[in-house]
Amino acid sequence: MKQYELVVGLEVHVQLASRTKLFCACPTDGFGAEPNSRICPVCTAQPGSLPVLNRRAVELAYRAALALGGDLAGTSVFARKNYFYPDLPKAYQISQYDQPFCTGARLEIRVKDAAPRTIGITRIHLEEDAGKLLHEVGAIKLDGSLVDFNRAGVPLIEIVSEPQIRASDEAYAYLTALKEVVSAVGASRCDMEKGEMRCDANVSVRPAGSDKFGTRAEIKNLNSFKNVKDAIDYEFRRQVQLLESGGRVVQETRLWSAETAETRSMRSKEEAHDYRYFPDPDLVPLTADAAFVASLKSSLPELPSARRARFSAELGLSAYDAEVLTGSLALADYFEKAAAAAPKGAVKTVANLIGTEFLGKLNSEGVEIDEAPVKAEGVGGLAAMVADGTVSSKLAKDMFAKMWETGADPKTVLAQVGGGQISDDKQVRDWVRQAVAANPKAAEDLKGGKQAAIGALVGAVMKLSKGKANPGLVNKLIKEAVQS
Amino acid sequence: MSADWTRESAARIADAVRRGETSAEEVARAHLGRVETAEPTVRAFLAVLKDSALESARAVDAKRRAGRPLGALAGVPVALKDNLQLEGVETTCASRILKGHVAAYDATAVRRLKDADAVFLGKTNLDEFAMGSSTENSAFQKTTNPWDPARVPGGSSGGSAAAVAARMAPLALGSDTGGSIRQPASFCGVVGLKPTYGRVSRYGLIAFASSLDQIGPFSRTVEDAALALSVVGGHDPLDTTSADRPAPAVGAAPKDLKGLRVGLPREYFIEGLDPEIAAAVRAAVDVLKSLGATVREVSLPHSKYALAAYYIIAPSEASSNLARYDGIRYGFVDRSAASLEEVYEATRAAFGPEVKRRIMLGTYALSSGYYDAYYAKAQRVRTLVAGDFKAAFRDVDVIAAPATPTPPFRFGEKTDDPVAMYLSDVFTIPSNLAGNASISIPCGLSSSGLPLGLQLIADHFGEETLFRAARAFESARPFPSLNG
């Protein structure tokens, strides 16, 4: 069997986080609300009504585009996409066609241990959402269908990637990274369960090494990142099998079914709509004012990728730690706050405490960061104690558990567990002298270069100090003692 | 004996009501009485709002008695073309597809008339969806020309023009997409203003062709047209295409036309132009000259392509604008339909033949593969037509031209030949394509006693220039109003 390469492009719709719809003043909070409780003459297409562009939605769209490194068009144009469907009140969707507001964006993705890849984003355009058809109410199947226009006119951006994705894992990583960036700049909440982020996948295969694209199928109804990954995997197998058995892939739209874990044909290319796009005469072209764009640019928060790079470069974190600690905006903020409360040398300890103890507790107890009983300053304080030798790393872990339980600060907890490490030079030196005297063989071996011999000496000191001697200091002083 | 208020201008009525010389109720009753006499022959109204007219007239009178200031159109009866939304009143566009559609809101122009204390007398007949030049395309009734009941009133705003000509209302609103105010004004011997595109908000005007549609007044004096524009014009946040500048105030009557430069477009005096109209327009220009204006010939070389370009652009926009009449949310729906396809087919069968013709023309012109050859090319022609006017207005302040190529024609004369009907707007269409200001005023009677119209065209937002020229002409050559 030939080797095949997977080629995927993703079209992602993201709902902008504006309070009102794209072309009228109706609220966008209609999810789960009484049907048709968020409507007006404009979003139900009453005869004679006209759209008025929501500036806030444009601002959010621009923020997302800038965060994705896109070029904002000086002028972009709204176009009508004409087709009939009962959930589309005007029988056209106001979208953007040959003059979108953003082109040339990109997104860096990382799949586990592989080197990062940059996926091109061809274009981003603004458009309005359609309403929703209801075929049943609760468990009752309706005789006809009902339509709810709460969602009609809700602002969306469509983000169209280049066909540069080569694995289902990459598609998953692309969506993860996209959600991270778009939500980091406040453009969208990206809540998939509320339909705030939706994805269509264009999937094709070609013989490995070929530079021609195969015929693609567009996969719809992908309701989660996992659905996207599974559907791409399924579609890859289907298309390869088709080609291997002498068939050919036809250009069509296919629907993913999560229940049966397969795609099935929805409509062929011949049945595809001719949308008869033309510039919407009800809306003037959208111009991106240079000063406004500049002010937006300067107001963008640091993006996760930049933050990761800074965590590595400035704070000396490993790539792995930087990755873990920028997993969400809230976590990265928490870490920075904790690191600020600890001395510079304690950053690695802060990273360890948050990466293992803190995240472990969040996961096992299902708690959000802002409701965690241990505050960032507490982690910083605890790390400082480890750094100056007041407590050992092992003790710090126990203390963290206590802090989580009681909500107390590290000083209080330290007092409760009966004090910390002993780092008093004179006291430790005295214990070392006694240990060396009691274990001459081990001291001789260590002096002769047998490193393992140090264990017996450390053990003796710990016994003398009842486990409280600072292990770093103990090691250092034993080595000094045997050399002298 | 009291005055016959049906012979008075809107300005005179408003003044009399404000001063208490008469009451709004008396004025309304006078016009309703005139409706009873004239309407059986003219049939200008699709609905006469007798009760609500008297009710709002009494409200105006109560307001005056309470000492509150009255608006610019205090107690002035106004007829509204039935493509303007008046909340709570059936608005049909003279189409079966909107039979039973009750407006859910007020058009901005309607709202402004209400705020100026106008009284709505009724909704007037039109060609279905404003598509036509004789009002014969109404699904409901034929309106006759008050000057000759065997002839059409023009269209599409035939009902509004006829209502004002027959003294059933001193003021009416219409809409002009390719001449639908100026052509019927000319046919009915009244003043009809097509304001600059963007001068009057289109919010609540049921769209025919959005980039061309403009609301404007019918009246029997130029001053009344200016008065109406001062009320309905000006920026509206609900219409993005409305211009951000105030409507001109009604100025004083001009003493002469010294300094006014008048242009006569050579391309408008062509074969097919009725010789009596050519003579009447030239005589009118001589009057302007005698008032102090200078006259020169100008050229509008692309005018001959305007009609063709219009019949691509207007139907294209219409095909999209009229797609919302799908039987889902309002208006006519065939309840016997068993599937979605059948709902669409049965519902949209309710359109009349001219509307269907234009929807098909427009759908074709916007289709993939034909867009560049038709729609895009027509838009380029439009730019050239607008450029002609811009060039001409460097040399002249106002262009004088015929409003129509023929006097009012007989019923049925052009219904079998759409192109002959379309040619009726050949002199008015260029101003819609260019978006400039244009007015039709009566300039004489034909040998058979039919009204003839003079069209004056000014640059964008040149309404004050139009009013100055038209008012001077009007006082030099008073036009008879109809008796009976």
Side-chain angles (χ1 to χ4, degrees), chain A residues 41 44-52 80 82 84-86 89-92 149 274 276-279 281-282 284, chain B residues 85 105 202-206 210 237-241 320-321 323-325 329-330 340 344 348 363 366-368 371 375:
Chain A
T44 57
Q46 296 299 309
S49 63
L50 294 172
V52 176
R80 293 184 182 179
N82 296 285
F84 286 95
Y85 204 63
K90 295 185 291 294
Y92 59 82
F149 291 114
D274 178 354
R276 291 169 284 121
Y277 282 101
F278 74 106
D282 287 332
V284 294
Chain B
Q85 295 278 36
Y105 67 100
R202 293 182 295 115
Y203 189 76
L205 166 66
I206 299 183
S210 314
L238 297 178
D239 177 2
T240 307
T241 64
S320 176
N321 283 332
R324 69 184 59 188
Y325 307 109
R329 293 169 313 286
Y330 43 70
L340 185 57
Y344 289 151
R348 293 173 69 78
T363 303
L366 289 176
S367 296
S368 152
Y371 181 90
Y375 187 79

Side-chain angles (χ1 to χ4, degrees), chain A residues 423-460:
Chain A
S423 303
D424 180 60
D425 197 79
K426 196 157 164 289
Q427 174 64 70
V428 176
R429 211 175 278 276
D430 191 44
W431 283 326
V432 168
R433 197 174 39 74
Q434 292 180 46
V436 169
N439 299 280
K441 168 94 173 60
E444 204 54 38
D445 287 352
L446 183 61
K447 192 177 179 182
K450 199 171 162 197
Q451 294 297 323
I454 199 168
L457 296 169
V458 170

Side-chain angles (χ1 to χ4, degrees), chain B residues 67-294:
Chain B
R68 288 159 60 202
L70 293 183
L73 293 174
V76 173
V78 178
L80 297 174
K81 186 178 183 179
D82 201 27
N83 61 353
L84 287 161
Q85 295 278 36
L86 170 60
E87 188 175 346
V89 173
E90 187 184 24
T91 301
T92 66
C93 279
S95 179
R96 283 208 298 130
I97 210 158
L98 277 177
K99 191 70 197 147
H101 161 66
V102 175
Y105 67 100
D106 280 333
T108 296
V110 169
R111 160 66 43 199
R112 288 179 178 176
L113 290 173
K114 270 187 189 173
D115 291 346
D117 295 316
V119 169
F120 298 118
L121 268 191
K123 305 298 291 285
T124 60
N125 197 19
L126 63 151
D127 286 298
E128 184 177 4
F129 281 100
M131 296 177 184
S133 308
S134 66
T135 312
E136 289 167 288
N137 292 333
S138 166
F140 304 126
Q141 67 196 42
K142 285 190 176 26
T143 297
T144 63
N145 191 313
W147 293 79
D148 178 354
R151 292 176 189 269
V152 301
S156 65
S157 313
S160 286
V164 172
R167 301 190 349 284
M168 294 190 277
L171 201 61
L173 287 190
S175 64
D176 190 316
T177 306
S180 282
I181 291 174
R182 290 159 290 160
Q183 189 257 18
S186 167
F187 277 18
C188 292
V190 296
V191 174
L193 172 72
K194 183 205 89 74
T196 307
Y197 185 80
R199 180 65 101 178
V200 183
S201 167
R202 293 182 295 115
Y203 189 76
L205 166 66
I206 299 183
F208 158 20
S210 314
S211 74
L212 300 158
D213 295 342
Q214 191 61 199
I215 295 171
F218 290 91
S219 56
R220 291 189 300 271
T221 70
V222 178
E223 185 192 10
D224 279 1
L227 176 62
L229 184 68
S230 74
V231 170
V232 300
H235 180 66
D236 175 15
L238 297 178
D239 177 2
T240 307
T241 64
S242 79
D244 194 7
R245 56 162 83 200
V250 184
K255 284 192 279 292
D256 55 43
L257 293 178
K258 284 205 177 68
L260 185 80
R261 301 168 301 164
V262 177
L264 272 179
R266 121 177 19 118
E267 292 82 1
Y268 280 45
F269 294 87
I270 48 166
E271 211 182 316
L273 172 61
D274 184 274
E276 283 195 302
I277 293 179
V281 170
R282 288 189 194 281
V285 170
D286 287 341
V287 172
L288 299 178
K289 214 190 272 182
S290 74
L291 292 166
T294 56

Side-chain angles (χ1 to χ4, degrees), chain A residues 47-280:
Chain A
S49 63
L50 294 172
V52 176
L53 182 61
N54 177 345
R55 290 278 148 189
R56 173 67 181 156
V58 172
E59 186 187 323
L60 294 173
Y62 282 6
R63 286 175 76 86
L66 291 171
L68 292 166
D71 301 319
L72 293 187
T75 300
S76 65
V77 172
F78 288 99
R80 293 184 182 179
K81 180 180 182 177
N82 296 285
Y83 65 95
F84 286 95
Y85 204 63
D87 67 3
L88 189 68
K90 295 185 291 294
Y92 59 82
Q93 177 192 31
I94 303 177
S95 181
Q96 296 189 307
Y97 182 53
D98 53 359
Q99 291 177 266
F101 79 90
C102 171
T103 53
R106 62 200 161 272
L107 184 61
E108 189 185 275
I109 63 166
R110 280 156 303 112
V111 176
K112 287 190 204 86
D113 301 328
R117 277 194 70 205
T118 297
I119 304 296
I121 290 171
T122 321
R123 56 180 282 155
I124 306 177
H125 66 253
L126 264 164
E127 63 184 28
E128 57 178 344
D129 207 345
K132 202 171 91 182
L133 288 188
L134 304 168
H135 306 288
E136 57 257 325
V137 172
I140 303 160
K141 180 98 180 79
L142 294 172
D143 199 16
S145 298
L146 296 173
V147 59
D148 174 9
F149 291 114
N150 281 352
R151 215 175 62 181
V154 162
L156 306 174
I157 46 174
E158 181 174 342
I159 302 162
V160 182
S161 87
E162 295 283 341
Q164 291 171 344
I165 293 165
R166 293 288 175 269
S168 62
D169 279 348
E170 289 190 348
Y172 194 97
Y174 174 89
L175 293 170
T176 308
L178 189 62
K179 179 176 175 174
E180 186 180 83
V181 171
V182 171
S183 55
V185 297
S188 174
R189 285 174 291 270
C190 297
D191 186 339
M192 276 195 112
E193 281 177 20
K194 290 184 180 172
E196 291 174 353
M197 189 173 181
R198 307 196 284 269
C199 178
D200 299 334
N202 286 305
V203 181
S204 64
V205 300
R206 62 183 174 189
S210 165
D211 57 359
K212 283 205 193 82
F213 290 124
T215 305
R216 68 189 156 84
E218 185 182 4
I219 318 297
K220 288 187 175 290
N221 197 34
L222 303 170
N223 300 322
S224 70
F225 291 2
K226 188 172 178 305
N227 275 182
V228 174
K229 183 172 149 42
D230 292 348
I232 290 171
D233 286 335
Y234 172 86
E235 194 58 23
F236 179 72
R237 286 195 303 274
R238 185 187 73 86
Q239 293 186 15
V240 167
Q241 273 168 19
L242 206 61
L243 293 175
E244 281 296 302
S245 60
R248 57 180 194 90
V249 177
V250 293
Q251 190 175 329
E252 61 182 350
T253 303
R254 298 179 70 85
L255 278 189
W256 169 251
S257 161
E259 290 76 44
T260 60
E262 59 188 21
T263 65
R264 60 184 165 75
S265 183
M266 185 172 115
R267 60 169 177 258
S268 71
K269 188 187 174 189
E270 287 70 31
E271 296 165 300
H273 298 291
D274 178 354
Y275 291 120
R276 291 169 284 121
Y277 282 101
F278 74 106
D280 191 333

Side-chain angles (χ1 to χ4, degrees), chain B residues 426-449:
Chain B
V426 68
F427 298 135
T428 46
I429 277 173
S431 277
N432 297 90
L433 290 178
N436 51 25
S438 191
I439 194 169
S440 173
I441 53 172
C443 69
L445 293 173
S446 72
S447 51
S448 47

